Amino acid sequence: MQRKERQLVVFNLGQEEYGVDILQVREIKRLSEIARVPHAPDFVKGVINLRGNIIPVIDLHKRFDLGETEATDESRIVIVSVQDITVGITVDAVSEVITLTKEALTPPPPLVAGIEASFIEAIGKLKDRLLILLNMDRILGLDEVAATKKVAEKAAQEGVAE
Amino acid sequence: MVSDQSRYKEVFFAEAQEHLQALNNGLLVLEQNPHDYDAVNLIFRAAHTIKGMAATMGFNTITTLTHNLENMLDKVRAKTILLSPELSDLLFEGVDLLEGLLSEAQAGSEPGPQLIADFVAELNYSLKTESEAERAPNQKEPFADQKVELKEHEIQVVSEARQRGYQPYFITVQLVPDCLMKSVRVFLVFQRLQAQGEILRAEPPVEDLEEEKFGDSFQLLYISKLDSSAVEDLITHVVDIKQAEVVPIGANETIYAPKTREIAAPKKHRYLTTQTVRIDIHRLDSLMNLVGELVITKTQIEQLLLGHNSSEAEEALKSLSRVAGGLQDGVMKARMVPLAQVFNRFPRMVRDLTRELGRKVEFIIEGEETELDRSVIDEIGDPLMHLLRNAIDHGIETPAERTKKGKPAVGKVQLVAGYEGNHVNITVADDGRGLDPRQILRQAQNKGLITPAEAGRLSGEEIYRLLFLPGFSTSKDVSDVSGRGVGLDVVQNKISSLGGTVEVSGAKDQGMRFNIRLPLTLAIIQALMIEVGGETFALPLETVEEIRVLEPREIKRVRSREVMVLRGEVVSLIRLGPLLGCREDGQPAQDLSVVIIRGDSGRAGLTVDNLLGQREIVIKSIDRFLGNLPGIGGATILGDGKVAFILDPAGIINLAGKSYSSRF
């Protein structure tokens, strides 16, 4: 990251504040009807219709093992695009967009708030607040997807064999 | 004035292209079947229209050329000239010339008349000679050959009748093409003839005629005291009789060779002449996005109005829903284009190529009505063209070679398209010489694409995949048709850039088969909408065989598997709710709706909570992020903006098989 400053979209999940690089954010939507996807990994909450495109939605609570929360009026779906892939992530609330200088970002310590360290790109310091900057590539588990796909294909083949 | 016309130029060239295509198609049909009146008319009209438009636009050379083509076609239409192979070559040449003129004119300036002078001279020359040659012998006999022999008893009857003053006739009756209620016409003809004589035999037999099992014409052996023109009048008096040929049978004639077979069962060709408006694809894209927004906003308004209980608002909303739904469907369909648009240009190409190379090929196209998104259609033409050229140039052997191998002299090249789940399959297959795996290996090693050690390890399938490596070409000599060492790798690149795959299989002397699988970014299918556990799913209608309502006692068990008996066949029953992980609404104790589907591996009955009816749905591909979902073939967006999954019957049956077996 050569840029001096980064703008982050800040949102809440449980008690923590998280940020995603604004360049990855396409839009922020109210919670709409999410269609469940049969036989998908459990962190996939479902799919939504985004202007004619079918977009998967990831439940960050499940992804981070934070336990379930009730959807509220504040709940939002943040649509992000990473490596040609567009997905929605559910968050409890979107609070603001902030600008952080490069200096304000530090590498993540090995253990943070219980969520998997590889999901964290950096920790942002903002006066008395700490912001967890998410590594969306990892969260979307693009390599993991390939793995699940293989498992599914293998299962399907075994199904045929029987 | 000039600047005024430039506005119309674009329209002119676009329309001219369509008419050119019609000319090509019509000529191809006509070449196969010179009696096809519709084809003649179609190409005549196409030439005429281009002439008219060109004259309006001030393109004099194009006008002259089309005028001359039209003259010739008019003669063909009037049947004073029969289309000979030489003549059809000439006409094709004219169409090519016309295409060249059009593209020059589009690029800037129309070439002068000297460019077409030679052709026009040639055309006029053959116009003269052909009509002289054709006129004399064939004028009175417009029908094709078929011998009809009088049977022994008929000879006797005929000669007896002759003694009593009757004249035997052989009659060929031709109905107008696409005549409705043909059996009625037959009945009327019979009735009128029988009042004045006797029908000894009908060909095809009367039963077939009554069941309309015949083409546009039939033949009769008839005796009457009337003369031939009176008999002809009797017949042609019936509405929708195009022509009747009444030929007296001479005293010692036992064989009469009138002409029908060709006409009796003319091949049905569909002439796809459609009116179109050309539109920039980006406009459609943005239209579609706007429609999506509209649907979503409509849903929001619905929710806002929920508490208000206003019946007027509700009415207005309902009407808005209907309009928005129709608009959505319309825009999505507008993007879909039948593959015919690409396929149409191949018969001509195949024809030219086979002539050039001295091959004989039967070219079969199927599934050209399969629709694909416009963006895919635009890209798929070149790779298909390449595969077809390969098939004819490298695949199909010369007739002599084929005969030596014991194959029919005429080779077969097939181009078949169709839907399969949320994919479109396009197959290019030939029955030519195929490829010897050893030869492929040798070639690959010679070109340094693989090492001998690698060669030993490759499986049969992997060997064929070598064909797709850049720089691979098995043809011994380079022709201008194909085989320049670029080829299959280009095909593969193009297809994978469209998100598709291409597979190859084949065997020496049995031909090659290329199977292209393209994802449907958008495609419309008929589906049966079902509800399971409060969720809506779509089942492709083509896989649905029937719908049954089962009483609980009709459900039987075979080794803990639920089955039902359908007309003596045991069909396994799949509880769709649990299989798809739907939240259960509690199994209803009363009757069960069961949809019988057919997958690759057989039938199965799916239990559903509700049948929501048949709908046309637009298939959307599911983001690759989700990978392959077992049992799911795709997704669609319902009228209210919600997403519903399209079930893949074969996948569902497999999935059920697996979950059952895991229970044991």
Side-chain angles (χ1 to χ4, degrees):
Chain A
M1 290 287 165
Q2 298 305 311
R3 283 167 293 150
K4 271 201 184 123
E5 287 183 343
R6 294 181 72 178
Q7 288 201 351
L8 304 177
V9 174
V10 180
F11 57 84
N12 299 81
L13 265 187
Q15 301 303 307
E16 307 291 334
E17 276 191 303
Y18 296 84
V20 199
D21 197 304
I22 199 164
L23 295 175
Q24 292 179 327
V25 175
R26 290 283 158 268
E27 65 185 282
I28 296 161
K29 282 176 58 74
R30 286 178 170 274
L31 268 192
S32 55
E33 181 122 10
I34 300 177
R36 189 184 61 87
V37 183
H39 303 289
D42 74 330
F43 63 85
V44 175
K45 202 172 170 78
V47 291
I48 55 166
N49 166 15
L50 185 71
R51 286 186 296 282
N53 292 314
I54 292 175
I55 307 288
V57 176
I58 288 173
D59 187 338
L60 276 193
H61 279 283
K62 287 239 172 78
R63 192 74 178 118
F64 295 165
D65 289 325
L66 295 176
E68 303 220 13
T69 45
E70 286 290 307
T72 68
D73 235 18
E74 301 287 300
S75 300
R76 293 288 183 276
I77 298 176
V78 180
I79 310 288
V80 294
S81 282
V82 187
Q83 297 182 25
D84 301 342
I85 286 180
T86 302
V87 298
I89 53 176
T90 56
V91 301
D92 292 344
V94 174
S95 54
E96 61 187 320
V97 176
I98 57 159
T99 306
L100 280 186
T101 58
K102 218 176 134 196
E103 290 72 39
L105 291 168
T106 55
L111 273 172
V112 191
I115 81 164
E116 206 180 304
S118 66
F119 289 165
I120 299 170
E121 188 187 319
I123 301 289
K125 277 183 233 144
L126 190 72
K127 291 184 192 153
D128 53 345
R129 288 154 73 187
L130 278 184
L131 200 66
I132 303 169
L133 178 57
L134 293 174
N135 178 343
M136 285 313 296
D137 291 37
R138 278 296 168 81
I139 290 167
L140 301 186
L142 296 179
D143 36 350
E144 206 169 325
V145 174
T148 25
K149 202 165 149 184
K150 261 183 208 146
V151 171
E153 273 165 11
K154 201 168 163 235
Q157 274 165 11
E158 281 165 2
V160 177
E162 284 157 3
Chain B
M1 278 316 276
V2 174
S3 64
D4 245 41
Q5 291 230 335
S6 68
R7 279 170 49 207
Y8 301 112
K9 272 194 182 166
E10 211 175 311
V11 180
F12 166 72
F13 288 116
E15 288 191 6
Q17 281 307 324
E18 278 165 27
H19 293 299
L20 261 183
Q21 186 66 56
L23 271 174
N24 263 321
N25 288 350
L27 279 175
L28 282 170
V29 172
L30 203 60
E31 196 178 29
Q32 298 301 315
N33 185 359
H35 295 289
D36 195 322
Y37 189 73
D38 290 347
V40 185
N41 265 336
L42 187 90
I43 51 182
F44 181 79
R45 273 200 306 273
H48 184 75
T49 314
I50 297 179
K51 182 179 93 171
M53 293 192 306
T56 319
M57 301 298 297
F59 292 129
N60 293 329
T61 314
I62 295 174
T63 312
T64 314
L65 177 63
T66 44
H67 175 74
N68 281 290
L69 284 173
E70 199 186 333
N71 274 349
M72 175 62 99
L73 290 169
D74 194 33
K75 292 283 189 303
V76 175
R77 188 163 72 151
K79 296 193 173 140
T80 46
I81 292 181
L82 198 69
L83 198 71
S84 62
E86 295 74 35
L87 184 56
S88 67
D89 276 349
L90 196 61
L91 285 173
F92 274 124
E93 196 187 316
V95 173
D96 286 345
L97 199 56
L98 181 59
E99 193 172 359
L101 288 180
L102 280 167
S103 65
E104 294 253 340
Q106 191 167 16
S109 63
E110 189 199 22
Q114 69 284 354
L115 199 81
I116 59 163
D118 283 353
F119 175 76
V120 170
E122 201 180 331
L123 194 67
N124 286 332
Y125 175 75
S126 65
L127 191 64
K128 227 183 263 166
T129 50
E130 293 268 351
S131 47
E132 277 162 11
E134 293 286 339
R135 195 170 292 147
N138 276 342
Q139 207 173 16
K140 184 75 187 133
E141 293 173 338
F143 297 112
D145 281 319
Q146 192 206 12
K147 279 187 181 174
V148 171
E149 203 166 342
L150 290 184
K151 291 175 185 157
E152 218 160 285
H153 70 274
E154 287 168 346
I155 297 176
Q156 206 180 339
V157 174
V158 165
S159 71
E160 278 174 19
R162 206 187 295 280
Q163 283 162 14
R164 284 185 283 129
Y166 285 90
Q167 168 65 42
Y169 292 104
F170 202 90
I171 304 175
T172 302
V173 181
Q174 195 174 1
L175 304 177
V176 300
D178 297 325
C179 168
L180 296 173
M181 304 293 290
K182 290 193 286 189
S183 58
V184 176
R185 321 290 169 192
V186 172
F187 172 78
L188 289 174
V189 169
F190 273 52
Q191 196 187 33
R192 294 176 74 91
L193 288 177
Q194 272 163 345
Q196 304 286 342
E198 199 181 335
I199 295 171
L200 298 179
R201 176 151 61 112
E203 195 68 44
V206 182
E207 299 78 46
D208 287 353
L209 290 176
E210 281 171 353
E211 288 171 26
E212 303 195 350
K213 286 185 192 155
F214 68 106
D216 289 339
S217 73
F218 57 94
Q219 295 158 321
L220 301 169
L221 184 59
Y222 178 63
I223 51 170
S224 172
K225 286 184 173 168
L226 298 175
D227 67 13
S228 61
S229 67
V231 174
E232 197 175 322
D233 279 354
L234 275 181
I235 301 167
T236 49
H237 222 79
V238 177
V239 178
D240 273 2
I241 300 294
K242 188 174 159 197
Q243 200 176 353
E245 195 191 35
V246 182
V247 180
I249 300 176
N252 294 316
E253 277 181 272
T254 55
I255 293 175
Y256 178 65
K259 331 244 160 170
T260 22
R261 196 36 98 204
E262 197 79 0
I263 296 168
K267 270 191 175 171
K268 283 280 170 199
H269 290 283
R270 272 177 301 144
Y271 301 103
L272 298 167
T273 40
T274 44
Q275 288 201 324
T276 53
V277 173
R278 267 142 220 279
I279 188 166
D280 186 344
I281 189 80
H282 298 296
R283 289 199 195 171
L284 279 182
D285 283 343
S286 57
L287 251 185
M288 183 138 80
N289 284 340
L290 287 171
V291 169
E293 299 271 15
L294 175 68
V295 171
I296 293 164
T297 315
K298 182 208 75 193
T299 323
Q300 285 169 345
I301 296 174
E302 265 167 2
Q303 272 153 9
L304 288 175
L305 286 174
L306 259 185
H308 288 71
N309 236 343
S310 148
S311 65
E312 276 168 20
E314 215 168 281
E315 277 304 308
L317 256 181
K318 261 189 202 153
S319 139
L320 177 63
S321 301
R322 226 176 17 247
V323 174
L327 199 57
Q328 190 179 21
D329 282 356
V331 174
M332 282 171 172
K333 267 188 217 155
R335 285 182 57 97
M336 303 296 293
V337 180
L339 270 169
Q341 251 191 32
V342 182
F343 285 7
N344 272 347
R345 59 187 216 234
F346 293 141
R348 173 71 201 277
M349 184 203 85
V350 169
R351 172 199 177 273
D352 290 354
L353 204 56
T354 48
R355 288 216 166 185
E356 190 183 320
L357 299 169
R359 309 282 154 81
K360 284 213 160 71
V361 168
E362 184 192 359
F363 183 43
I364 301 163
I365 291 185
E366 278 168 36
E368 70 267 41
E369 69 283 354
T370 309
E371 290 193 327
L372 270 171
D373 192 70
R374 179 61 207 245
S375 53
V376 182
I377 293 275
D378 288 346
E379 301 288 323
I380 196 66
D382 286 348
L384 287 179
M385 167 117 69
H386 215 107
L387 292 178
L388 287 171
R389 279 169 171 267
N390 269 336
I392 295 162
D393 193 15
H394 303 317
I396 302 292
E397 310 90 333
T398 59
E401 251 177 277
R402 290 182 64 89
T403 318
K404 213 158 80 189
K405 285 179 183 173
K407 293 180 178 182
V410 178
K412 205 186 263 181
V413 174
Q414 281 178 294
L415 176 62
V416 181
Y419 298 108
E420 191 190 294
N422 62 345
H423 285 82
V424 161
N425 271 350
I426 304 176
T427 305
V428 178
D430 67 72
D431 67 346
R433 59 172 69 91
L435 278 175
D436 185 354
R438 280 170 305 184
Q439 194 193 339
I440 301 176
L441 281 179
R442 225 178 7 254
Q443 185 95 1
Q445 285 179 46
N446 289 347
K447 302 225 168 191
L449 298 169
I450 51 166
T451 64
E454 281 172 326
R457 281 200 302 271
L458 291 175
S459 69
E461 208 174 299
E462 284 165 329
I463 293 172
Y464 277 113
R465 287 216 70 79
L466 291 174
L467 294 173
F468 293 113
L469 289 177
F472 189 94
S473 173
T474 52
S475 183
K476 282 181 207 97
D477 41 24
V478 171
S479 72
D480 72 334
V481 178
S482 47
R484 274 164 293 194
V486 291
L488 289 179
D489 61 316
V490 179
V491 170
Q492 188 179 31
N493 285 346
K494 181 53 102 189
I495 286 166
S496 48
S497 77
L498 295 171
T501 57
V502 53
E503 279 165 24
V504 56
S505 59
K508 189 170 166 50
D509 284 336
Q510 284 171 23
M512 300 289 287
R513 167 180 290 266
F514 290 88
N515 200 12
I516 299 171
R517 232 168 112 83
L518 290 167
L520 291 178
T521 42
L522 280 164
I524 296 171
I525 59 163
Q526 290 286 336
L528 176 70
M529 306 305 292
I530 55 171
E531 195 178 76
V532 181
E535 294 176 49
T536 305
F537 293 95
L539 269 172
L541 202 62
E542 54 176 25
T543 63
V544 174
E545 290 207 324
E546 61 184 300
I547 292 162
R548 308 275 289 192
V549 177
L550 285 192
E551 291 174 35
R553 61 175 175 82
E554 288 180 88
I555 300 172
K556 311 268 190 273
R557 281 180 176 275
V558 173
R559 282 189 295 158
S560 88
R561 257 176 114 131
E562 284 183 316
V563 297
M564 59 185 281
V565 179
L566 186 72
R567 285 187 290 275
E569 191 195 343
V570 178
V571 173
S572 54
L573 201 61
I574 298 172
R575 299 272 180 177
L576 212 45
L579 188 74
L580 296 172
C582 300
R583 60 187 158 78
E584 298 217 18
D585 282 347
Q587 288 300 336
Q590 71 275 40
D591 299 350
L592 265 182
S593 296
V594 176
V595 180
I596 312 294
I597 55 164
R598 174 174 278 289
D600 298 336
S601 48
R603 285 202 186 87
L606 307 181
T607 68
V608 303
D609 296 348
N610 267 317
L611 294 163
L612 304 177
Q614 181 185 337
R615 273 204 53 172
E616 217 168 35
I617 57 167
V618 177
I619 304 180
K620 297 262 174 178
S621 56
I622 302 174
D623 196 293
R624 66 192 158 95
F625 174 73
L626 289 175
N628 252 356
L629 297 167
I632 304 292
T636 187
I637 294 172
L638 303 177
D640 59 0
K642 282 187 208 157
V643 179
F645 287 97
I646 303 167
L647 301 180
D648 161 28
I652 289 284
I653 294 173
N654 285 339
L655 197 63
K658 210 170 50 175
S659 65
Y660 281 122
S661 53
S662 66
R663 248 184 246 161
F664 296 125

